[in-house]
Amino acid sequence: MNDLGQDLELRLVRYFTVVAAHQHFGRAAADLHVAQPALSRQIQRLEKYLGTRLLDRVPQGTRLTPAGQRFLPRAQALLQAARQAELAVRGQAEIERITIGYVEDLVITAAVGELRRRYPDAEITTRYLSCRDVGALSDKHVDALIARAPLPLAADVLTTPLYEEPRMLVVPRGHPLADRPSVTSEELAGEEAAPCPFETTDWTSYRILGADVPPIESYEDKLELVASGRAIAVLPVGDRRSSLRPNLVTIPIEGAPSSQVVLVSRKGDPNPMIRNLRLVAKAVLTAPAA
């Protein structure tokens, strides 16, 4: 008779397989780091549960009974299946995790929300990136990056285009171009580009009154230069932050290359959540309405 109301304990099964391997209670106890009397009691518990003897004591140690011989391969298979189940769960817990980097003017809420809806057990975090974080992907601080191309990244990355946006000119009110219905890219040729690769000001151009401007990282500081008449800016139309300042005007640009939003990840990264993000981002992230 087995113990009513109790399930077979894997610990007892493992003890049995170790004793069977050593064919000796003393050596098995030393291997398991348990006292020999305690090991004997645990084997007796297993035999009581199964309702049959598994081991016989002999002068040389122990030997399997016919029931023990039948039970041993099944016990080993049971332990192996339990180990594989444990590894599968632990592996899943390790890979269902992703950190998504994004740059300041892009809104990725729709993609993150859909990813969380589809994979509720995954750990999904986001990280805002500034100019100083240009190495976040290669340094593995993020698993994927949603930003605007081109990016100063190594060749061993996988880039997925998501959508494109036309560009617009941002100037202060009263600027000679402020009342124009549109401007051409040729009219803006020769302007100096801003230095930050991770901001939408990658096309920010300075028209300085006979002086150079040192590199500026803060987006608000760049807008302040524009508002003061010391610079002009070329931005994607989806970047609405300049519209929050009443002293700035936006003008469509004809003939300027589009701004492309891309998802970038490391080549060969086995994290399946990156593929899941790629599918979701392509499905839900679109260019904002003009």
Side-chain angles (χ1 to χ4, degrees), residues 47-246:
E47 292 175 329
K48 181 180 179 181
Y49 178 90
L50 295 174
T52 185
R53 288 189 61 80
L54 300 174
L55 296 161
D56 284 333
R57 292 184 180 270
V58 295
Q60 297 81 9
T62 62
R63 67 182 179 189
L64 292 170
T65 66
Q69 293 175 356
R70 291 192 298 271
F71 183 61
L72 179 59
R74 292 168 175 81
Q76 293 169 333
L78 180 62
L79 293 173
Q80 178 64 19
R83 179 57 177 165
Q84 290 176 344
E86 177 186 354
L87 292 175
V89 171
R90 289 182 181 275
Q92 192 74 5
E94 291 176 359
I95 60 179
E96 286 192 345
R97 179 182 297 115
I98 188 171
T99 300
I100 308 167
Y102 67 100
V103 297
E104 60 180 340
D105 74 299
L106 296 178
V107 179
I108 64 171
T109 307
V112 175
E114 179 64 14
L115 196 64
R116 286 175 174 154
R117 186 190 70 79
R118 295 188 188 185
Y119 306 95
D121 296 329
E123 181 181 321
I124 302 168
T125 57
T126 60
R127 179 175 176 178
Y128 159 75
L129 301 178
S130 69
C131 290
R132 300 181 184 88
D133 301 315
V134 67
L137 185 65
S138 59
D139 295 341
K140 298 186 178 182
H141 296 153
V142 299
D143 301 299
L145 168 65
I146 298 179
R148 296 187 184 276
L151 296 171
L153 302 177
D156 54 345
V157 297
L158 179 62
T159 301
T160 302
L162 298 179
Y163 61 87
E164 294 185 353
E165 293 177 348
R167 298 183 186 264
M168 64 184 178
L169 175 66
V170 182
V171 296
R173 294 189 182 277
H175 188 277
L177 299 176
D179 295 328
R180 295 272 297 274
S182 65
V183 296
T184 65
S185 57
E186 289 78 9
E187 293 177 273
L188 305 178
E191 300 295 340
E192 180 184 354
C196 180
F198 270 7
E199 293 185 358
T200 57
T201 49
D202 58 334
W203 265 47
T204 299
S205 302
Y206 295 123
R207 187 189 301 271
I208 310 304
L209 300 176
D212 293 332
V213 172
I216 298 174
E217 294 184 354
S218 166
Y219 178 83
E220 291 301 324
D221 286 342
K222 291 179 179 180
L223 280 189
E224 189 59 37
L225 277 177
V226 176
S228 67
R230 301 182 65 204
I232 60 175
V234 176
L235 305 176
V237 296
D239 188 342
R240 306 301 177 90
R241 292 170 297 172
S242 61
S243 64
L244 300 177
R245 301 182 64 132

Side-chain angles (χ1 to χ4, degrees), residues 1-31:
M1 290 287 291
N2 60 19
D3 295 335
L4 294 178
Q6 295 186 6
D7 295 325
L8 179 62
E9 296 183 32
L10 289 179
R11 179 172 60 91
L12 302 185
V13 175
R14 183 167 69 90
Y15 284 0
F16 164 72
T17 60
V18 175
V19 175
H22 287 285
Q23 297 184 6
H24 194 281
F25 269 92
R27 290 192 292 269
D31 190 6

